[in-house]
Amino acid sequence: MGATQVNVMNWSGRVALITGAGSGIGRSTAQEFAALGAKVAILDRDEGAGSETLEAILRAGGEAIFLPTDVTSEDSVAASVAETVSRFGRLDAAYNNAGISPDTGTTVDCSRERWDQIFAVNVTGVWLCMKHEIEAMLKTGGGAIMNTGSVSSLRAAPQLPAYVASKHALIGLTKVTALEYAKQNIRVNIICPGVIETPMLAKKAAEGFFSIDQYVQSSVPMNRAGRPDEIASAVIWACSEAASYLTGATLSVDGGMVIA
Ligand SMILES: NC(=O)c1ccc[n+]([C@@H]2O[C@H](COP(=O)([O-])OP(=O)(O)OC[C@H]3O[C@@H](n4cnc5c(N)ncnc54)[C@H](O)[C@@H]3O)[C@@H](O)[C@H]2O)c1
């Protein structure tokens, strides 16, 4: 049998949707997809941030649209998926990345309001996105979805009860959805980033939650934080034909954090 011609790098003619693409990992993934030729739908609730990602992609010669979206609203998600398909004709890859990690305190200190807010974005938001993305993908023969977990999908961290619970929940949701649509050519996986240099990480450090240097030295075997593009490249691979047999998988991209 000869070698197959699997091209991870050529996304021309294909369409990728990324939530939380106004910042950090989502922005980097949107830029990388566009640089590889994909038509990109940038979804974010922050209009200024989403517009900046759009401008950066257009300046670099890529093709993209920005759709202001709140992933906690089904109407908003449905409208943005529909607009993506209306503008670009199809949906091949979706990266459900929007997530929040506001301060909560311990399990006892965490307020009901904060708990609900974190679950609304991190869990309900991903479910709503998949619900509408899958409907769109089924119309053109399939697609690939990547959800965003965290090392907090796999282990505990004090003072983060709602975040850790929400990211664990996404592993279960990803597995169920992967199982349900495996026969219909829709692959669903979850990526679990470690310590990645983004505005979210900088905010937690600024709030005094941890010192990034100390956190990295004590918990990352590779002894450095990751870059957003190091998550983006794993997402793009997992959504490509090169990963055609990958579904229901939990992919740790964390410099060795969960094995330590
Ligand atoms: N940075 C890390 O170290 C790290 C580690 C593990 C997992 N993650 C996960 O990666 C994802 C991205 O994190 P990041 O560090 O790039 O964060 P970030 O805060 O830099 O970016 C998150 C983006 O999501 C958007 N967003 C938030 N709520 C939204 C909503 N309701 N609707 C639409 N957009 C919304 C924000 O406006 C923002 O642009 C998150 O799910 C996060 O939990 C990050």
Side-chain angles (χ1 to χ4, degrees), residues 202-236:
K203 188 161 179 281
K204 291 219 94 58
E207 284 166 355
F209 199 77
F210 46 56
S211 135
I212 296 175
D213 286 348
Q214 276 173 15
Y215 185 36
V216 164
Q217 279 160 26
S218 63
S219 50
V220 184
M222 285 179 72
N223 206 29
R224 68 171 177 84
R227 301 183 311 270
D229 65 277
E230 292 178 305
I231 303 303
S233 56
V235 170
I236 292 171

PDB file of all heavy atoms in Angstrom, residues 202-236:
ATOM      1  N   ALA A 202      -2.814  36.107  32.307  1.00  0.00           N
ATOM      2  CA  ALA A 202      -2.242  37.349  32.852  1.00  0.00           C
ATOM      3  C   ALA A 202      -3.186  37.949  33.894  1.00  0.00           C
ATOM      4  O   ALA A 202      -2.747  38.469  34.925  1.00  0.00           O
ATOM      5  CB  ALA A 202      -1.996  38.335  31.711  1.00  0.00           C
ATOM      6  N   LYS A 203      -4.500  37.843  33.642  1.00  0.00           N
ATOM      7  CA  LYS A 203      -5.490  38.403  34.571  1.00  0.00           C
ATOM      8  C   LYS A 203      -5.444  37.661  35.911  1.00  0.00           C
ATOM      9  O   LYS A 203      -5.471  38.263  36.976  1.00  0.00           O
ATOM     10  CB  LYS A 203      -6.877  38.307  33.930  1.00  0.00           C
ATOM     11  CG  LYS A 203      -7.971  39.003  34.689  1.00  0.00           C
ATOM     12  CD  LYS A 203      -9.176  39.255  33.764  1.00  0.00           C
ATOM     13  CE  LYS A 203     -10.315  39.931  34.491  1.00  0.00           C
ATOM     14  NZ  LYS A 203     -11.119  39.035  35.303  1.00  0.00           N
ATOM     15  N   LYS A 204      -5.347  36.340  35.846  1.00  0.00           N
ATOM     16  CA  LYS A 204      -5.310  35.555  37.089  1.00  0.00           C
ATOM     17  C   LYS A 204      -4.046  35.893  37.881  1.00  0.00           C
ATOM     18  O   LYS A 204      -4.075  35.981  39.107  1.00  0.00           O
ATOM     19  CB  LYS A 204      -5.370  34.046  36.792  1.00  0.00           C
ATOM     20  CG  LYS A 204      -6.703  33.593  36.257  1.00  0.00           C
ATOM     21  CD  LYS A 204      -7.150  32.257  36.788  1.00  0.00           C
ATOM     22  CE  LYS A 204      -8.038  32.238  37.991  1.00  0.00           C
ATOM     23  NZ  LYS A 204      -9.297  32.942  37.944  1.00  0.00           N
ATOM     24  N   ALA A 205      -2.929  36.086  37.163  1.00  0.00           N
ATOM     25  CA  ALA A 205      -1.678  36.441  37.844  1.00  0.00           C
ATOM     26  C   ALA A 205      -1.812  37.833  38.463  1.00  0.00           C
ATOM     27  O   ALA A 205      -1.418  38.059  39.615  1.00  0.00           O
ATOM     28  CB  ALA A 205      -0.519  36.384  36.859  1.00  0.00           C
ATOM     29  N   ALA A 206      -2.421  38.773  37.709  1.00  0.00           N
ATOM     30  CA  ALA A 206      -2.585  40.149  38.212  1.00  0.00           C
ATOM     31  C   ALA A 206      -3.488  40.189  39.442  1.00  0.00           C
ATOM     32  O   ALA A 206      -3.317  41.022  40.327  1.00  0.00           O
ATOM     33  CB  ALA A 206      -3.153  41.036  37.103  1.00  0.00           C
ATOM     34  N   GLU A 207      -4.459  39.264  39.491  1.00  0.00           N
ATOM     35  CA  GLU A 207      -5.366  39.211  40.661  1.00  0.00           C
ATOM     36  C   GLU A 207      -4.688  38.570  41.868  1.00  0.00           C
ATOM     37  O   GLU A 207      -5.292  38.428  42.931  1.00  0.00           O
ATOM     38  CB  GLU A 207      -6.614  38.373  40.311  1.00  0.00           C
ATOM     39  CG  GLU A 207      -7.610  39.103  39.424  1.00  0.00           C
ATOM     40  CD  GLU A 207      -8.663  38.163  38.818  1.00  0.00           C
ATOM     41  OE1 GLU A 207      -8.571  36.925  38.997  1.00  0.00           O
ATOM     42  OE2 GLU A 207      -9.564  38.684  38.148  1.00  0.00           O
ATOM     43  N   GLY A 208      -3.433  38.115  41.675  1.00  0.00           N
ATOM     44  CA  GLY A 208      -2.689  37.515  42.789  1.00  0.00           C
ATOM     45  C   GLY A 208      -3.006  36.044  42.989  1.00  0.00           C
ATOM     46  O   GLY A 208      -2.678  35.449  44.015  1.00  0.00           O
ATOM     47  N   PHE A 209      -3.669  35.423  41.975  1.00  0.00           N
ATOM     48  CA  PHE A 209      -4.052  34.019  42.093  1.00  0.00           C
ATOM     49  C   PHE A 209      -2.815  33.134  42.131  1.00  0.00           C
ATOM     50  O   PHE A 209      -2.748  32.148  42.853  1.00  0.00           O
ATOM     51  CB  PHE A 209      -4.954  33.649  40.911  1.00  0.00           C
ATOM     52  CG  PHE A 209      -5.758  32.409  41.144  1.00  0.00           C
ATOM     53  CD1 PHE A 209      -6.883  32.438  41.955  1.00  0.00           C
ATOM     54  CD2 PHE A 209      -5.388  31.210  40.572  1.00  0.00           C
ATOM     55  CE1 PHE A 209      -7.622  31.289  42.169  1.00  0.00           C
ATOM     56  CE2 PHE A 209      -6.123  30.062  40.787  1.00  0.00           C
ATOM     57  CZ  PHE A 209      -7.240  30.103  41.591  1.00  0.00           C
ATOM     58  N   PHE A 210      -1.831  33.479  41.312  1.00  0.00           N
ATOM     59  CA  PHE A 210      -0.539  32.795  41.343  1.00  0.00           C
ATOM     60  C   PHE A 210       0.500  33.666  40.658  1.00  0.00           C
ATOM     61  O   PHE A 210       0.153  34.615  39.946  1.00  0.00           O
ATOM     62  CB  PHE A 210      -0.572  31.418  40.667  1.00  0.00           C
ATOM     63  CG  PHE A 210      -1.270  31.389  39.319  1.00  0.00           C
ATOM     64  CD1 PHE A 210      -0.889  32.209  38.274  1.00  0.00           C
ATOM     65  CD2 PHE A 210      -2.336  30.523  39.097  1.00  0.00           C
ATOM     66  CE1 PHE A 210      -1.526  32.171  37.052  1.00  0.00           C
ATOM     67  CE2 PHE A 210      -2.994  30.490  37.870  1.00  0.00           C
ATOM     68  CZ  PHE A 210      -2.580  31.317  36.857  1.00  0.00           C
ATOM     69  N   SER A 211       1.782  33.329  40.888  1.00  0.00           N
ATOM     70  CA  SER A 211       2.844  33.938  40.092  1.00  0.00           C
ATOM     71  C   SER A 211       3.105  32.972  38.941  1.00  0.00           C
ATOM     72  O   SER A 211       3.304  31.769  39.164  1.00  0.00           O
ATOM     73  CB  SER A 211       4.103  34.117  40.951  1.00  0.00           C
ATOM     74  OG  SER A 211       5.239  33.707  40.229  1.00  0.00           O
ATOM     75  N   ILE A 212       3.058  33.489  37.712  1.00  0.00           N
ATOM     76  CA  ILE A 212       3.179  32.585  36.551  1.00  0.00           C
ATOM     77  C   ILE A 212       4.507  31.814  36.621  1.00  0.00           C
ATOM     78  O   ILE A 212       4.540  30.599  36.426  1.00  0.00           O
ATOM     79  CB  ILE A 212       3.055  33.366  35.217  1.00  0.00           C
ATOM     80  CG1 ILE A 212       1.654  33.977  35.116  1.00  0.00           C
ATOM     81  CG2 ILE A 212       3.308  32.442  34.016  1.00  0.00           C
ATOM     82  CD1 ILE A 212       1.423  34.866  33.910  1.00  0.00           C
ATOM     83  N   ASP A 213       5.596  32.511  36.951  1.00  0.00           N
ATOM     84  CA  ASP A 213       6.906  31.845  36.989  1.00  0.00           C
ATOM     85  C   ASP A 213       6.927  30.700  38.000  1.00  0.00           C
ATOM     86  O   ASP A 213       7.376  29.601  37.706  1.00  0.00           O
ATOM     87  CB  ASP A 213       8.015  32.848  37.327  1.00  0.00           C
ATOM     88  CG  ASP A 213       8.309  33.749  36.129  1.00  0.00           C
ATOM     89  OD1 ASP A 213       7.825  33.417  35.022  1.00  0.00           O
ATOM     90  OD2 ASP A 213       8.987  34.773  36.312  1.00  0.00           O
ATOM     91  N   GLN A 214       6.415  30.987  39.196  1.00  0.00           N
ATOM     92  CA  GLN A 214       6.417  29.935  40.232  1.00  0.00           C
ATOM     93  C   GLN A 214       5.507  28.775  39.844  1.00  0.00           C
ATOM     94  O   GLN A 214       5.840  27.614  40.030  1.00  0.00           O
ATOM     95  CB  GLN A 214       5.943  30.513  41.567  1.00  0.00           C
ATOM     96  CG  GLN A 214       7.059  31.190  42.338  1.00  0.00           C
ATOM     97  CD  GLN A 214       6.503  31.899  43.585  1.00  0.00           C
ATOM     98  OE1 GLN A 214       5.376  31.666  44.005  1.00  0.00           O
ATOM     99  NE2 GLN A 214       7.321  32.766  44.153  1.00  0.00           N
ATOM    100  N   TYR A 215       4.363  29.109  39.280  1.00  0.00           N
ATOM    101  CA  TYR A 215       3.393  28.084  38.869  1.00  0.00           C
ATOM    102  C   TYR A 215       4.028  27.173  37.815  1.00  0.00           C
ATOM    103  O   TYR A 215       3.967  25.940  37.900  1.00  0.00           O
ATOM    104  CB  TYR A 215       2.160  28.801  38.327  1.00  0.00           C
ATOM    105  CG  TYR A 215       0.980  27.933  37.955  1.00  0.00           C
ATOM    106  CD1 TYR A 215       0.649  26.796  38.679  1.00  0.00           C
ATOM    107  CD2 TYR A 215       0.162  28.286  36.881  1.00  0.00           C
ATOM    108  CE1 TYR A 215      -0.457  26.020  38.342  1.00  0.00           C
ATOM    109  CE2 TYR A 215      -0.941  27.526  36.539  1.00  0.00           C
ATOM    110  CZ  TYR A 215      -1.244  26.390  37.269  1.00  0.00           C
ATOM    111  OH  TYR A 215      -2.336  25.642  36.921  1.00  0.00           O
ATOM    112  N   VAL A 216       4.696  27.797  36.849  1.00  0.00           N
ATOM    113  CA  VAL A 216       5.337  27.024  35.778  1.00  0.00           C
ATOM    114  C   VAL A 216       6.439  26.138  36.353  1.00  0.00           C
ATOM    115  O   VAL A 216       6.512  24.939  36.069  1.00  0.00           O
ATOM    116  CB  VAL A 216       5.888  27.985  34.696  1.00  0.00           C
ATOM    117  CG1 VAL A 216       6.883  27.275  33.786  1.00  0.00           C
ATOM    118  CG2 VAL A 216       4.749  28.574  33.872  1.00  0.00           C
ATOM    119  N   GLN A 217       7.287  26.740  37.194  1.00  0.00           N
ATOM    120  CA  GLN A 217       8.415  25.962  37.725  1.00  0.00           C
ATOM    121  C   GLN A 217       7.943  24.786  38.574  1.00  0.00           C
ATOM    122  O   GLN A 217       8.540  23.716  38.547  1.00  0.00           O
ATOM    123  CB  GLN A 217       9.327  26.870  38.556  1.00  0.00           C
ATOM    124  CG  GLN A 217      10.285  27.670  37.669  1.00  0.00           C
ATOM    125  CD  GLN A 217      10.832  28.899  38.377  1.00  0.00           C
ATOM    126  OE1 GLN A 217      10.910  28.928  39.609  1.00  0.00           O
ATOM    127  NE2 GLN A 217      11.210  29.902  37.605  1.00  0.00           N
ATOM    128  N   SER A 218       6.850  24.981  39.301  1.00  0.00           N
ATOM    129  CA  SER A 218       6.413  23.902  40.196  1.00  0.00           C
ATOM    130  C   SER A 218       5.539  22.867  39.498  1.00  0.00           C
ATOM    131  O   SER A 218       5.369  21.766  39.996  1.00  0.00           O
ATOM    132  CB  SER A 218       5.671  24.484  41.400  1.00  0.00           C
ATOM    133  OG  SER A 218       4.501  25.130  40.943  1.00  0.00           O
ATOM    134  N   SER A 219       4.975  23.204  38.343  1.00  0.00           N
ATOM    135  CA  SER A 219       4.012  22.242  37.791  1.00  0.00           C
ATOM    136  C   SER A 219       4.163  21.887  36.316  1.00  0.00           C
ATOM    137  O   SER A 219       3.438  21.005  35.840  1.00  0.00           O
ATOM    138  CB  SER A 219       2.584  22.729  38.051  1.00  0.00           C
ATOM    139  OG  SER A 219       2.430  24.052  37.647  1.00  0.00           O
ATOM    140  N   VAL A 220       5.074  22.514  35.599  1.00  0.00           N
ATOM    141  CA  VAL A 220       5.196  22.191  34.168  1.00  0.00           C
ATOM    142  C   VAL A 220       6.558  21.535  33.909  1.00  0.00           C
ATOM    143  O   VAL A 220       7.593  22.209  33.958  1.00  0.00           O
ATOM    144  CB  VAL A 220       5.048  23.452  33.277  1.00  0.00           C
ATOM    145  CG1 VAL A 220       5.079  23.059  31.804  1.00  0.00           C
ATOM    146  CG2 VAL A 220       3.774  24.205  33.610  1.00  0.00           C
ATOM    147  N   PRO A 221       6.568  20.227  33.626  1.00  0.00           N
ATOM    148  CA  PRO A 221       7.853  19.547  33.384  1.00  0.00           C
ATOM    149  C   PRO A 221       8.716  20.223  32.314  1.00  0.00           C
ATOM    150  O   PRO A 221       9.938  20.261  32.444  1.00  0.00           O
ATOM    151  CB  PRO A 221       7.429  18.141  32.965  1.00  0.00           C
ATOM    152  CG  PRO A 221       6.155  17.926  33.714  1.00  0.00           C
ATOM    153  CD  PRO A 221       5.462  19.274  33.690  1.00  0.00           C
ATOM    154  N   MET A 222       8.139  20.770  31.286  1.00  0.00           N
ATOM    155  CA  MET A 222       8.941  21.446  30.254  1.00  0.00           C
ATOM    156  C   MET A 222       9.456  22.799  30.719  1.00  0.00           C
ATOM    157  O   MET A 222      10.226  23.470  30.008  1.00  0.00           O
ATOM    158  CB  MET A 222       8.159  21.580  28.935  1.00  0.00           C
ATOM    159  CG  MET A 222       8.057  20.257  28.192  1.00  0.00           C
ATOM    160  SD  MET A 222       7.114  20.344  26.646  1.00  0.00           S
ATOM    161  CE  MET A 222       8.259  21.239  25.617  1.00  0.00           C
ATOM    162  N   ASN A 223       9.014  23.216  31.900  1.00  0.00           N
ATOM    163  CA  ASN A 223       9.531  24.418  32.568  1.00  0.00           C
ATOM    164  C   ASN A 223       9.321  25.719  31.791  1.00  0.00           C
ATOM    165  O   ASN A 223      10.138  26.638  31.855  1.00  0.00           O
ATOM    166  CB  ASN A 223      11.020  24.246  32.899  1.00  0.00           C
ATOM    167  CG  ASN A 223      11.422  25.104  34.089  1.00  0.00           C
ATOM    168  OD1 ASN A 223      10.592  25.386  34.960  1.00  0.00           O
ATOM    169  ND2 ASN A 223      12.657  25.563  34.114  1.00  0.00           N
ATOM    170  N   ARG A 224       8.240  25.774  31.057  1.00  0.00           N
ATOM    171  CA  ARG A 224       7.870  27.036  30.399  1.00  0.00           C
ATOM    172  C   ARG A 224       6.370  27.021  30.155  1.00  0.00           C
ATOM    173  O   ARG A 224       5.746  25.953  30.078  1.00  0.00           O
ATOM    174  CB  ARG A 224       8.624  27.217  29.079  1.00  0.00           C
ATOM    175  CG  ARG A 224       8.251  26.247  27.987  1.00  0.00           C
ATOM    176  CD  ARG A 224       8.880  26.636  26.647  1.00  0.00           C
ATOM    177  NE  ARG A 224       8.602  25.674  25.586  1.00  0.00           N
ATOM    178  CZ  ARG A 224       7.499  25.665  24.844  1.00  0.00           C
ATOM    179  NH1 ARG A 224       6.549  26.558  25.030  1.00  0.00           N
ATOM    180  NH2 ARG A 224       7.321  24.757  23.904  1.00  0.00           N
ATOM    181  N   ALA A 225       5.811  28.229  30.042  1.00  0.00           N
ATOM    182  CA  ALA A 225       4.399  28.329  29.649  1.00  0.00           C
ATOM    183  C   ALA A 225       4.295  28.041  28.159  1.00  0.00           C
ATOM    184  O   ALA A 225       5.273  28.168  27.411  1.00  0.00           O
ATOM    185  CB  ALA A 225       3.885  29.731  29.959  1.00  0.00           C
ATOM    186  N   GLY A 226       3.104  27.625  27.727  1.00  0.00           N
ATOM    187  CA  GLY A 226       2.882  27.391  26.297  1.00  0.00           C
ATOM    188  C   GLY A 226       2.434  28.669  25.608  1.00  0.00           C
ATOM    189  O   GLY A 226       1.975  29.615  26.252  1.00  0.00           O
ATOM    190  N   ARG A 227       2.586  28.670  24.279  1.00  0.00           N
ATOM    191  CA  ARG A 227       2.101  29.799  23.475  1.00  0.00           C
ATOM    192  C   ARG A 227       0.748  29.430  22.855  1.00  0.00           C
ATOM    193  O   ARG A 227       0.510  28.247  22.554  1.00  0.00           O
ATOM    194  CB  ARG A 227       3.087  30.108  22.339  1.00  0.00           C
ATOM    195  CG  ARG A 227       4.498  30.458  22.766  1.00  0.00           C
ATOM    196  CD  ARG A 227       5.336  30.822  21.529  1.00  0.00           C
ATOM    197  NE  ARG A 227       5.204  29.845  20.459  1.00  0.00           N
ATOM    198  CZ  ARG A 227       5.982  28.769  20.317  1.00  0.00           C
ATOM    199  NH1 ARG A 227       6.964  28.524  21.176  1.00  0.00           N
ATOM    200  NH2 ARG A 227       5.784  27.937  19.314  1.00  0.00           N
ATOM    201  N   PRO A 228      -0.114  30.419  22.639  1.00  0.00           N
ATOM    202  CA  PRO A 228      -1.414  30.122  22.007  1.00  0.00           C
ATOM    203  C   PRO A 228      -1.273  29.356  20.687  1.00  0.00           C
ATOM    204  O   PRO A 228      -2.081  28.467  20.399  1.00  0.00           O
ATOM    205  CB  PRO A 228      -2.009  31.514  21.789  1.00  0.00           C
ATOM    206  CG  PRO A 228      -1.428  32.342  22.888  1.00  0.00           C
ATOM    207  CD  PRO A 228      -0.016  31.831  23.070  1.00  0.00           C
ATOM    208  N   ASP A 229      -0.242  29.647  19.904  1.00  0.00           N
ATOM    209  CA  ASP A 229      -0.123  28.950  18.609  1.00  0.00           C
ATOM    210  C   ASP A 229       0.221  27.468  18.797  1.00  0.00           C
ATOM    211  O   ASP A 229       0.002  26.657  17.896  1.00  0.00           O
ATOM    212  CB  ASP A 229       0.919  29.634  17.706  1.00  0.00           C
ATOM    213  CG  ASP A 229       2.316  29.547  18.270  1.00  0.00           C
ATOM    214  OD1 ASP A 229       2.664  30.371  19.129  1.00  0.00           O
ATOM    215  OD2 ASP A 229       3.069  28.628  17.880  1.00  0.00           O
ATOM    216  N   GLU A 230       0.732  27.105  19.986  1.00  0.00           N
ATOM    217  CA  GLU A 230       1.011  25.683  20.238  1.00  0.00           C
ATOM    218  C   GLU A 230      -0.274  24.903  20.508  1.00  0.00           C
ATOM    219  O   GLU A 230      -0.315  23.688  20.355  1.00  0.00           O
ATOM    220  CB  GLU A 230       2.007  25.538  21.392  1.00  0.00           C
ATOM    221  CG  GLU A 230       3.395  26.057  21.011  1.00  0.00           C
ATOM    222  CD  GLU A 230       4.400  25.964  22.155  1.00  0.00           C
ATOM    223  OE1 GLU A 230       4.113  26.494  23.236  1.00  0.00           O
ATOM    224  OE2 GLU A 230       5.473  25.370  21.947  1.00  0.00           O
ATOM    225  N   ILE A 231      -1.313  25.606  20.936  1.00  0.00           N
ATOM    226  CA  ILE A 231      -2.633  24.981  21.055  1.00  0.00           C
ATOM    227  C   ILE A 231      -3.308  24.989  19.676  1.00  0.00           C
ATOM    228  O   ILE A 231      -3.868  23.995  19.234  1.00  0.00           O
ATOM    229  CB  ILE A 231      -3.512  25.727  22.092  1.00  0.00           C
ATOM    230  CG1 ILE A 231      -2.806  25.756  23.462  1.00  0.00           C
ATOM    231  CG2 ILE A 231      -4.882  25.080  22.196  1.00  0.00           C
ATOM    232  CD1 ILE A 231      -2.438  24.412  24.039  1.00  0.00           C
ATOM    233  N   ALA A 232      -3.182  26.121  18.986  1.00  0.00           N
ATOM    234  CA  ALA A 232      -3.811  26.256  17.663  1.00  0.00           C
ATOM    235  C   ALA A 232      -3.367  25.134  16.721  1.00  0.00           C
ATOM    236  O   ALA A 232      -4.187  24.527  16.019  1.00  0.00           O
ATOM    237  CB  ALA A 232      -3.461  27.618  17.062  1.00  0.00           C
ATOM    238  N   SER A 233      -2.073  24.820  16.702  1.00  0.00           N
ATOM    239  CA  SER A 233      -1.612  23.811  15.744  1.00  0.00           C
ATOM    240  C   SER A 233      -2.163  22.428  16.074  1.00  0.00           C
ATOM    241  O   SER A 233      -2.477  21.643  15.173  1.00  0.00           O
ATOM    242  CB  SER A 233      -0.082  23.797  15.656  1.00  0.00           C
ATOM    243  OG  SER A 233       0.467  23.586  16.929  1.00  0.00           O
ATOM    244  N   ALA A 234      -2.334  22.132  17.366  1.00  0.00           N
ATOM    245  CA  ALA A 234      -2.927  20.840  17.739  1.00  0.00           C
ATOM    246  C   ALA A 234      -4.415  20.801  17.350  1.00  0.00           C
ATOM    247  O   ALA A 234      -4.913  19.778  16.879  1.00  0.00           O
ATOM    248  CB  ALA A 234      -2.763  20.606  19.238  1.00  0.00           C
ATOM    249  N   VAL A 235      -5.100  21.927  17.531  1.00  0.00           N
ATOM    250  CA  VAL A 235      -6.524  21.995  17.164  1.00  0.00           C
ATOM    251  C   VAL A 235      -6.676  21.773  15.657  1.00  0.00           C
ATOM    252  O   VAL A 235      -7.526  20.995  15.204  1.00  0.00           O
ATOM    253  CB  VAL A 235      -7.124  23.377  17.552  1.00  0.00           C
ATOM    254  CG1 VAL A 235      -8.524  23.557  16.972  1.00  0.00           C
ATOM    255  CG2 VAL A 235      -7.141  23.548  19.070  1.00  0.00           C
ATOM    256  N   ILE A 236      -5.834  22.440  14.888  1.00  0.00           N
ATOM    257  CA  ILE A 236      -5.955  22.359  13.429  1.00  0.00           C
ATOM    258  C   ILE A 236      -5.633  20.943  12.945  1.00  0.00           C
ATOM    259  O   ILE A 236      -6.328  20.390  12.092  1.00  0.00           O
ATOM    260  CB  ILE A 236      -5.071  23.437  12.763  1.00  0.00           C
ATOM    261  CG1 ILE A 236      -5.659  24.814  13.094  1.00  0.00           C
ATOM    262  CG2 ILE A 236      -4.979  23.222  11.254  1.00  0.00           C
ATOM    263  CD1 ILE A 236      -4.788  25.990  12.704  1.00  0.00           C
TER     264      ILE A 236
END
